[in-house]
Amino acid sequence: MPKLKITGGNTLSGEIKISGAKNSAVALLPAALLSESKSKIYKVPKIRDIEYLLKILEVLNCTYKITNDEIEINTTKLKNAPIPEELSEQMRASYYFMGTLLSRFKKVEISFPGGCNIGARPIDLHIKGFEALGAKVEIIKNKYIITAERLIGTKITLDFPSVGATINLMLAATGAEGRTIIENAAREPEIVNVANFLISMGCQITGAGEDTIIINQSEKKDDGKIEVYPDRIEAATYVILGALIGKDLTIKGLIKDHINAVLLKLKESGVEFLETENSITISACSNPLPINITTEVFPGFPTDVQQPFTVLLTQACGESIITETIYESRFISAGLLNEMGANTFSKGNILTIKGKTPLHSANLYVPDLRGGAALLLAALTAEGTSILDNVLLILRGYEDVVEKLTNIGAKIEIIE
Ligand code: UD1
């Protein structure tokens, strides 16, 4: 099992180019099945989840060609087949095959999806939506079996604007007769990215990025084409790193509007940076101010960034509070930061951080993807050499992380 060896304390400068977004790409690959010929997806990050999704495409008799960061997927010989547990359990996004296979074949057999252990993470909203479209959902021995004679468009009002449920229902609705309306839809950029891909195939979708999405039946789905949006969570993580130990560190190739909520919180904390529509140039803030953050659905402060942001707040003099509203609790990594000298305390969905506390090195086991990103930032900031174990979780979400950090002056290497 690979580990990361990190010697912290170096000032980081230069440029980091943001990769395609994991959370978009993992929906776009399953979405490619809706094309009845072939699709091209540009700027696909080289991360482990993509490797597993490609294996699932093979199970479904699709072929693909990878050229640099482009993947061309040929679905002309697509066959429905059960998606085995050893693939579906590798990530949560395997559930997007529910939506696409239901749309194409009106039948799906898939073992339970996996994903980071950051709370209960039920998929009841997906299931209720499929049922509203006319599908029957059975759970038999760790497997979902979803069948429908016909899918019929209807109005679905989500109890919560879930990213996964919105995308999955949009995918399924492309195979429904008539019109489907998804109300209280999630508005995250990933939804717009997937909708634009489907529109490029000829699907009739309006409202993606707003709270009501309308999908009208369309007969033929042609070649699709899409560029994966830049990864807003990766971008925010590196911007926070710049606020910790950067010196004119430029994060480029991002979409500023996608991380506005994080930038506003950095400003509130007294961090200064230069911004353009596609880049942020940032240097370390020696005395960040303590602030309070509440995670929210987009365009609010993203839950995936609260863990990395916690590291910056350990360096603020005074008390900061993070209220997590998306997951019931997501503070395992904050507890681990205490082993590096931080002073955090969590109760339920509230995390209190008392600073300023110098950080020192430690050997730690990465608990989840974004928690791992937080430990990585802390290890880069801390004096001394830290070893992070279970880092495949970090590699799931951060393309070329070692190379990108080495290029800006970090001392980091993968060791076995
Ligand atoms: C996606 C992201 C994840 C991010 C999250 C919130 C991917 C692959 N993952 O996850 O990184 O943290 O959005 O921005 O894109 N919920 C239910 N029932 C459901 C669906 C969701 O109760 O059927 C709950 C979840 O348990 C969670 C909340 O709703 O508490 C948000 O979930 P959701 O927006 O669906 O997140 P994911 O799509 O799983």
Side-chain angles (χ1 to χ4, degrees):
M1 184 67 96
K3 297 178 183 160
L4 279 177
K5 181 177 170 192
I6 301 145
T7 303
N10 274 16
T11 299
L12 306 180
S13 49
E15 285 185 353
I16 292 190
K17 189 163 185 334
I18 295 308
S19 301
K22 164 187 164 289
N23 287 352
S24 279
V26 297
L28 291 168
L29 264 76
L33 299 189
L34 293 178
S35 158
E36 284 160 20
S37 45
K38 54 186 188 312
S39 302
K40 272 195 173 178
I41 309 179
Y42 302 93
K43 297 208 174 152
V44 180
K46 291 186 294 306
I47 50 173
R48 235 169 39 105
D49 286 11
I50 298 296
E51 289 168 28
Y52 283 107
L53 289 170
L54 290 172
K55 285 185 187 158
I56 296 179
L57 290 181
E58 286 170 24
V59 169
L60 300 171
N61 212 32
C62 300
T63 53
Y64 57 85
K65 199 168 80 190
I66 303 178
T67 317
N68 303 320
D69 60 0
E70 294 171 24
I71 303 187
E72 183 177 292
I73 299 168
N74 187 322
T75 47
T76 43
K77 295 197 175 129
L78 175 69
K79 264 196 208 147
N80 200 1
I83 298 176
E85 190 169 4
E86 65 269 21
L87 296 179
S88 66
E89 72 179 5
Q90 296 297 333
M91 85 209 89
R92 189 159 170 80
S94 55
Y95 59 32
Y96 290 132
F97 287 102
M98 290 178 170
T100 47
L101 291 176
L102 193 58
S103 171
R104 286 294 299 267
F105 297 104
K106 314 288 177 277
K107 179 170 176 30
V108 192
E109 210 176 307
I110 182 167
S111 296
F112 284 178
C116 280
N117 184 11
I118 49 175
R121 308 186 88 184
I123 60 164
D124 54 310
L125 303 176
H126 307 230
I127 302 299
K128 275 193 220 160
F130 294 144
E131 286 171 342
L133 290 170
K136 182 172 144 215
V137 183
E138 294 170 283
I139 298 180
I140 301 173
K141 286 193 189 160
N142 288 0
K143 248 190 204 179
Y144 287 99
I145 300 181
I146 310 174
T147 46
E149 270 174 34
R150 297 160 65 191
L151 293 175
I152 299 173
T154 186
K155 189 199 275 186
I156 300 167
T157 305
L158 294 176
D159 295 337
F160 176 85
S162 149
V163 175
T166 302
I167 293 178
N168 228 345
L169 296 174
M170 193 164 69
L171 295 171
T174 61
E177 296 165 32
R179 163 182 292 205
T180 302
I181 301 171
I182 305 175
E183 286 184 339
N184 198 25
R187 293 182 286 159
E188 271 70 0
E190 295 77 69
I191 286 126
V192 180
N193 216 181
V194 174
N196 285 341
F197 187 34
L198 302 181
I199 291 166
S200 79
M201 294 176 193
C203 295
Q204 292 180 37
I205 300 175
T206 54
E210 295 162 32
D211 63 5
T212 302
I213 301 177
I214 299 174
I215 303 111
N216 279 304
Q217 182 176 9
S218 57
E219 285 312 321
K220 191 163 157 23
K221 297 179 187 81
D222 288 325
D223 293 5
K225 232 187 213 184
I226 195 73
E227 183 174 301
V228 181
Y229 274 159
D231 197 311
R232 62 196 172 96
I233 310 300
E234 186 200 21
T237 305
Y238 289 134
V239 172
I240 295 165
L241 178 62
L244 282 161
I245 48 169
K247 177 146 198 325
D248 297 327
L249 179 67
T250 298
I251 324 298
K252 62 176 196 179
L254 49 78
I255 298 177
K256 187 179 72 79
D257 281 352
H258 290 179
I259 57 166
N260 263 337
V262 178
L263 298 179
L264 280 174
K265 283 293 168 186
L266 284 170
K267 283 181 188 162
E268 191 183 325
S269 188
V271 179
E272 292 178 357
F273 46 85
L274 288 173
E275 52 192 295
T276 72
E277 283 313 301
N278 309 105
S279 74
I280 304 288
T281 299
I282 187 162
S283 296
C285 175
S286 44
N287 284 310
L289 303 169
I291 55 166
N292 296 338
I293 292 175
T294 300
T295 62
E296 282 165 35
V297 295
F298 191 83
F301 190 96
T303 169
D304 287 356
V305 183
Q306 61 89 347
Q307 291 160 292
F309 209 108
T310 301
V311 183
L312 181 66
L313 296 179
T314 66
Q315 301 309 300
C317 280
E319 187 174 285
S320 301
I321 292 177
I322 294 182
T323 306
E324 172 59 67
T325 70
I326 309 297
Y327 296 101
E328 57 268 37
S329 77
R330 197 181 186 179
F331 300 131
I332 297 173
S333 54
L336 294 169
L337 289 177
N338 291 352
E339 296 187 28
M340 303 181 81
N343 182 2
T344 76
F345 169 78
S346 72
K347 192 159 185 235
N349 69 330
I350 311 270
L351 177 74
T352 306
I353 304 136
K354 288 188 178 157
K356 172 178 190 167
T357 47
L359 296 174
H360 56 76
S361 58
N363 295 350
L364 295 169
Y365 192 83
V366 167
D368 58 80
L369 164 56
R370 305 303 169 187
L375 299 183
L376 176 61
L377 298 194
L380 289 164
T381 307
E383 289 299 326
T385 299
S386 299
I387 308 280
L388 300 185
D389 198 349
N390 200 30
V391 293
L392 284 180
L393 284 183
I394 301 179
L395 306 181
R396 272 190 60 202
Y398 292 86
E399 183 185 41
D400 295 335
V401 62
V402 172
E403 195 185 329
K404 287 186 186 186
L405 289 171
T406 304
N407 284 344
I408 57 167
K411 282 197 180 152
I412 177 168
E413 60 179 314
I414 294 201
I415 55 172
E416 289 303 322

